Amino acid sequence: MKNKIYIRLKESLVLTAKNFKELYPTDKPLVNQTLNDSLNSCISCIDYEVLKERISEKRAQQYIKWLTDLTCKLHAE
């Protein structure tokens, strides 16, 4: 269950990046801002899962780091 949360959020970020890069191939600032907004939404989802005690704070920090690293990678692509 715990990894499903991360996998779902990761897929969401990758899909957002793919869609916006296809729709706006020349507007990199828009794509990057959208990715940042999506990351913030993912972090809110993770915080909610911690609040509901479905995942630990340590696991949440790990997921946030992974998703942040992924977002940085998606910016560079």
Side-chain angles (χ1 to χ4, degrees), residues 1 5 7 22 28 32-33 35 38 47 49 66 75:
M1 157 94 181
I5 296 165
I7 292 169
E22 286 177 3
K28 190 164 178 105
N32 289 344
Q33 184 62 46
L35 284 172
S38 295
D47 289 341
E49 296 297 327
W66 289 348
H75 281 305

Side-chain angles (χ1 to χ4, degrees), residues 7-43:
I7 292 169
R8 177 176 49 88
L9 295 173
K10 177 183 173 184
E11 289 173 351
S12 172
L13 272 175
V14 170
L15 186 62
T16 299
K18 179 182 176 217
N19 289 339
F20 269 79
K21 286 179 181 181
E22 286 177 3
L23 289 172
Y24 307 101
T26 60
D27 196 351
K28 190 164 178 105
L30 174 67
V31 172
N32 289 344
Q33 184 62 46
T34 303
L35 284 172
N36 291 341
D37 292 344
S38 295
L39 175 62
N40 287 338
S41 177
C42 290
I43 291 171

Side-chain angles (χ1 to χ4, degrees), residues 6 39 43 46 58-72:
Y6 168 73
L39 175 62
I43 291 171
I46 291 170
K58 184 176 180 181
R59 174 82 39 136
Q61 291 304 316
Q62 183 181 35
Y63 288 169
I64 290 169
K65 181 183 179 333
W66 289 348
L67 291 172
T68 302
D69 291 345
L70 174 63
T71 302
C72 291

Side-chain angles (χ1 to χ4, degrees), residues 45-63:
C45 290
I46 291 170
D47 289 341
Y48 179 77
E49 296 297 327
V50 170
L51 182 65
K52 290 294 189 176
E53 297 180 350
R54 294 182 185 139
I55 61 173
S56 68
E57 184 66 36
K58 184 176 180 181
R59 174 82 39 136
Q61 291 304 316
Q62 183 181 35
Y63 288 169

